[in-house]
């Protein structure tokens, strides 16, 4: 006979671990809770660092109002919160958190350290937690206003949960998804996500960007340019709708729905299915849309207390609201459908285009990955570098530099300051209104403090191919050479518009072959739904050939009638861009440029060109030989050491021409790392 066991009260440690498992299911859940806490603290900058997908390290730092020292003792205990006092407050809750369970749950399954400084505190305070309790007394330390929470060894004491999780790379992808979605929705808050020990961020959005800007940054220009803005208010059902949905020209294999209800990231299968029913009439079979929707419903009509993760919500009149949203999107798609054919030609050039074999170099049948099918100048060398015929020192002394409208005097440089014009007789004065608008945008956005730093800086040395140390007065700064050079070349494109020198290819490069190389790379994002690569390559040839006159006249990009690329613009003397990037440049000029609006066309072309010319990691050989460092200024970039190029070409151009935009003061492109007076204070204490 089976013995009936008596009912016993579970140990508090067991209860807390079970509860923690409901709230914190994976690193992405923990991060979501911490991001919401930062947003509740009115942070305008949120930086996330992860290691092994967040399992080894998950750190978030914000500049919110911080935590008071007196609250540090109980901050990680269950059911402690500053956002809810009584149950009735749920009817008007306007914050993300209200349970007081998140930090407590995290502390039961990981090692937690909190460093925080409130707005009225003279210093920061640091405490370490385990099982919701402080390990020791809270200690004062240095720190900025805001909070940093470090979570280490997540699920170290629950091995079964840890084994059940997916690989670190997949967990990192889920973390990236959470950060990306909150970054899109929270325009006005700068988000940064990067892996521990890496300088390149996986997600980075500036605090002054719009929602559409954030979508473009995170999900790509191909999505952003095909979005329709939706906005609706229903006084009867007490809700507002704002957002962006893709038009009939854009589709993906998996539906992307960024849904926020009262600014909380949630999911609704009913709403998703209802909207996809509308798109079924517009998109190919098994293809889905991109949607960002923000619903604001009267708080008293929403029940957020459904699940500890707060991922699900219930609200009154759910069916009626979903039906109303469905009708709004359907009417928006119906109104945009009149221009569908036009958009389809611009975005989905998959239809067969009649182009002779002579104009593209090869037929589709001949395409393969064999080396002899790659772009080359002769039978011995298939490298794209061979297309450039660099001038020697003697040639530069004896021969004039070629430009599109004549010759310039020996020694004349193309790196003219944006605020000045060339005295050369051949320089054209461009009075296009759209161009003047772009120049004005650059001038209006200049950060005067950063401009002074670069104008009067002293080059110190290269940390790596991405970062460089410079000195201004008594301060030492770490500068992001890649991002700064991208902005430099964009400004040169805008201010030297129509007056570039020329880098002439020694032999014409077939655009068809370049396009095929680009489409074969993962960076292109090509999928079978886009159509055959050969048809796309033919379309690109035809498209750029049709734009040849404008590209040649304004940008010194010469495309001949046979579909060959012959020249590139010369933006800086002694500097050549990375030739391996030409295929992707050709592809993006055809697919990512907005050709419908003159100003946006010029801007996007200049942006794509500046991205191509920018200093990139592993751009130059790693040799540090003395001979390389002492190469002559007249030698081309590809033949000299990257450190020499930064010191003698790029940073002098920064000093002479760069107008740093205001966003560079906030997005870590230039960081102060030391100040001499402060160092003296440190030495005095020693």
């Amino acid at each position: 006979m089976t013995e009936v066991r008596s009912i016993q009260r579970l140990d508090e440690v067991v209860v807390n671990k079970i509860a923690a498992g409901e709230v914190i299911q994976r690193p992405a859940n923990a991060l979501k809770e911490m991001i919401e806490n930062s947003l509740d603290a009115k942070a305008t900058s949120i930086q996330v660092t992860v290691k092994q997908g967040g399992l080894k390290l998950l750190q978030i730092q914000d500049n919110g109002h911080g935590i008071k020292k007196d609250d540090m003792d109980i901050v990680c205990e269950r059911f402690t919160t500053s956002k809810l006092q009584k149950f009735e407050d749920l009817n008007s809750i306007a914050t993300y958190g209200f349970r007081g369970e998140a930090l407590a749950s995290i502390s039961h399954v990981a090692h937690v350290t909190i460093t925080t400084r409130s707005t009225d505190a003279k210093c920061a305070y640091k405490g370490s937690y385990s099982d919701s309790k402080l390990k020791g007394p809270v200690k004062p330390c240095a720190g900025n206003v805001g909070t940093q929470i470090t979570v280490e060894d997540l699920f170290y004491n629950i091995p079964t949960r840890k084994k059940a999780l997916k690989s670190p790379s997949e967990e990192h992808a889920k973390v990236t998804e959470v950060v990306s979605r909150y970054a899109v929705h929270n325009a006005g808050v700068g988000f940064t996500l990067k892996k521990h020990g890496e300088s390149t961020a996986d997600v980075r959005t500036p605090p002054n960007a719009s929602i559409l800007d954030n979508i473009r940054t995170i999900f790509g220009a191909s999505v952003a340019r095909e979005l329709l803005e939706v906005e609706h208010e229903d006084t009867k059902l007490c809700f507002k709708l704002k957002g962006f949905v893709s038009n009939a020209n854009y589709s993906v294999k998996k539906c992307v729905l960024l849904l926020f209800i009262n600014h909380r990231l949630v999911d609704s299968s009913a709403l998703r299915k209802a909207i996809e029913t509308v798109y079924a009439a517009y998109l190919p079979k098994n293809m889905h849309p991109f949607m960002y929707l923000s619903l604001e419903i009267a708080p008293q009509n929403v029940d957020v207390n459904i699940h500890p993760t707060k991922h699900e919500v219930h609200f009154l009149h759910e069916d009626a609201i979903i039906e109303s949203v469905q009708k709004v999107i359907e009417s928006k798609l119906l109104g945009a459908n009149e221009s569908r054919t036009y958009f389809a030609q611009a975005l989905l050039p998959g239809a067969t285009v009649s182009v002779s074999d002579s104009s593209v170099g090869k037929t589709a049948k001949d395409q393969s990955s064999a080396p002899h099918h790659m772009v080359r100048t002769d039978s011995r060398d298939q490298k794209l570098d061979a297309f450039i015929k660099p001038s020697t020192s003697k040639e530069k002394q004896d021969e004039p530099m070629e430009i599109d409208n004549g010759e310039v005097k020996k020694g004349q440089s193309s790196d003219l300051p944006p605020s000045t014009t060339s005295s050369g007789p051949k320089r054209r004065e461009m009075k296009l209104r759209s161009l003047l608008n772009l120049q004005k945008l650059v001038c209006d956005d200049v950060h005067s403090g950063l401009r002074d730093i670069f104008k009067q800086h002293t080059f110190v040395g290269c940390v790596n191919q991405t970062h460089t140390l410079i000195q201004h007065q008594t301060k030492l700064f770490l500068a992001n050479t890649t991002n700064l050079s991208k902005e430099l070349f964009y400004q040169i494109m805008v201010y030297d518009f129509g007056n570039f020198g020329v880098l002439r290819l020694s032999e014409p490069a077939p655009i068809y072959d370049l396009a095929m190389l680009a489409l074969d790379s993962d960076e292109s994002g090509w999928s079978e739904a886009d159509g055959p690569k050969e048809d796309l390559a033919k379309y690109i040839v035809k498209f750029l050939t049709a734009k040849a006159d404008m590209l040649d006249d304004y940008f010194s990009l010469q495309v001949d009638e046979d579909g060959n690329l012959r020249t590139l613009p010369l933006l800086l003397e002694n500097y050549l861009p990375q030739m391996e990037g030409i295929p992707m440049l050709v592809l993006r000029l055809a697919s990512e440029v907005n050709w419908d609006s003159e100003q946006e066309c010029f801007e996007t072309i200049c942006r794509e060109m500046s991205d191509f010319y920018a200093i990139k990691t592993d751009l130059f050989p790693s040799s540090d030989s003395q001979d390389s460092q002492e190469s002559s200024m007249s030698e081309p970039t590809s033949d000299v050491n990257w450190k020499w190029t930064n010191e003698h070409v790029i940073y002098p151009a920064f000093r002479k021409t760069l107008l740093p935009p205001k966003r560079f003061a906030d997005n870590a492109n230039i960081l102060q790392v030391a100040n001499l007076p402060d160092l003296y204070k440190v030495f005095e204490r020693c």
Side-chain angles (χ1 to χ4, degrees), residues 289-300:
F290 173 96
M291 298 172 286
Y292 158 73
L293 299 175
S294 176
L295 280 167
E296 292 188 37
I297 304 174
Q300 64 270 20

Side-chain angles (χ1 to χ4, degrees), residues 13-26 29-31 33-34 37 74-80 99-112 129-133 149 151-158 161 308-310:
V13 175
V14 177
V15 172
N16 288 331
K17 285 186 179 180
I18 293 173
E22 288 184 328
V23 179
I24 309 302
Q25 300 170 354
R26 60 182 352 120
N29 293 123
L31 180 60
E33 298 291 342
M34 293 191 291
N37 284 343
I74 64 170
V75 70
C76 282
E77 291 186 8
R78 290 189 72 193
F79 313 128
T80 57
R99 289 175 174 272
E101 285 188 294
L103 285 177
S105 298
I106 295 172
S107 72
H108 282 289
V109 294
H111 303 295
V112 176
Y129 300 82
S130 178
D131 293 329
S132 77
K133 303 294 183 183
I149 301 177
V151 178
E152 297 177 283
D153 297 323
L154 191 62
F155 302 125
Y156 74 96
N157 53 359
I158 310 180
R161 171 63 63 85
T309 63
K310 300 185 287 290

Side-chain angles (χ1 to χ4, degrees), residues 531-552:
K533 294 180 182 178
E534 294 79 7
D535 289 347
L536 291 172
K538 290 178 181 179
Y539 168 84
I540 292 171
V541 173
K542 184 177 181 180
F543 185 86
L544 293 182
T545 302
K547 305 291 185 183
D549 291 341
M550 187 270 279
L551 291 173
D552 185 17

Side-chain angles (χ1 to χ4, degrees), residues 9 130 142 206 258 290 322 346 445 529 560:
R9 188 183 301 275
S130 178
L258 284 65
F290 173 96
I322 289 176
D445 193 38
D560 64 24

Side-chain angles (χ1 to χ4, degrees), residues 228-500:
L228 304 171
E229 185 173 7
V230 293
E231 191 168 349
H232 177 68
E233 182 174 359
D234 193 318
T235 54
K236 183 179 179 181
L237 295 174
C238 299
F239 84 93
K240 295 180 182 179
L241 168 68
K242 290 184 178 181
F244 294 91
V245 297
S246 56
N247 60 28
N249 303 308
Y250 180 84
S251 61
V252 286
K253 292 182 179 180
K254 184 179 180 181
C255 178
V256 179
L257 172 60
L258 284 65
L259 176 62
F260 290 81
I261 295 181
N262 290 358
H263 306 290
R264 190 186 304 280
L265 178 63
V266 296
D267 193 16
S268 171
S269 58
L271 181 60
R272 182 192 299 266
K273 290 177 182 177
I275 298 176
E276 287 212 78
T277 301
V278 176
Y279 275 94
Y282 294 87
L283 301 181
K285 188 177 180 180
N286 298 325
M287 300 303 287
H288 306 276
F290 173 96
M291 298 172 286
Y292 158 73
L293 299 175
S294 176
L295 280 167
E296 292 188 37
I297 304 174
Q300 64 270 20
N301 292 347
V302 181
D303 185 359
V304 295
N305 193 29
I306 302 299
H307 190 272
T309 63
K310 300 185 287 290
H311 189 63
E312 302 174 17
V313 296
H314 286 174
F315 46 91
L316 292 178
H317 318 300
E318 187 167 339
D319 292 339
I321 290 177
I322 289 176
E323 184 178 355
S324 180
V325 172
Q326 188 181 32
K327 289 180 179 179
V328 171
I329 294 177
E330 186 169 19
S331 63
K332 199 73 178 179
L333 287 173
L334 188 62
N337 197 39
E338 296 176 0
S339 58
R340 184 177 181 182
T341 302
Y342 174 80
F343 283 132
Q345 289 175 345
L347 181 63
L348 301 174
T352 302
V353 180
S354 177
V355 181
S356 64
D357 290 343
S358 62
S359 66
V360 297
K362 292 183 177 71
T363 63
K365 185 178 179 181
D366 293 329
Q367 297 303 312
S368 73
S369 57
H372 63 279
H373 284 158
M374 299 177 69
V375 180
R376 57 181 179 170
T377 57
D378 56 50
S379 60
R380 296 167 298 174
D381 194 352
Q382 291 93 28
K383 294 182 180 179
L384 286 168
D385 290 347
F387 286 139
I388 295 295
K389 186 178 180 181
S391 301
T392 63
S393 301
K394 186 176 186 300
E395 286 174 335
K396 281 189 173 287
Q397 294 173 356
D398 298 340
E399 296 180 9
M401 184 186 303
E402 293 184 53
I403 63 171
D404 60 333
N405 56 350
E407 296 179 351
V408 295
K409 294 180 180 179
K410 180 181 65 178
Q412 182 176 342
S413 172
S414 64
D415 59 335
L416 297 170
S419 58
T420 63
T421 57
S422 171
S423 59
K426 296 296 184 179
R427 185 176 178 86
R428 295 186 295 173
E429 184 178 1
M430 309 300 294
K431 295 184 178 181
L432 297 170
R433 184 180 298 274
S434 56
L435 179 64
L436 297 177
N437 288 341
L438 293 177
Q439 294 175 353
K440 186 176 185 298
L441 288 173
V442 172
C443 286
D444 291 347
D445 193 38
V446 176
H447 190 288
S448 58
L450 293 182
R451 177 62 181 132
D452 290 339
I453 289 174
F454 282 102
K455 193 173 183 179
Q456 303 171 23
H457 82 268
T458 300
F459 186 91
V460 176
C462 298
V463 177
N464 51 40
Q465 291 186 3
T466 302
H467 291 91
T468 298
L469 289 171
I470 61 174
Q471 181 182 338
H472 177 251
Q473 297 177 354
T474 62
K475 297 178 181 179
L476 185 67
F477 295 92
L478 182 68
N480 188 315
T481 307
T482 298
N483 292 341
L484 289 167
S485 65
K486 187 181 299 184
E487 184 63 24
L488 169 73
F489 288 121
Y490 171 75
Q491 293 178 12
I492 292 175
M493 291 292 299
V494 169
Y495 281 94
D496 275 352
F497 190 95
N499 290 282
F500 303 112

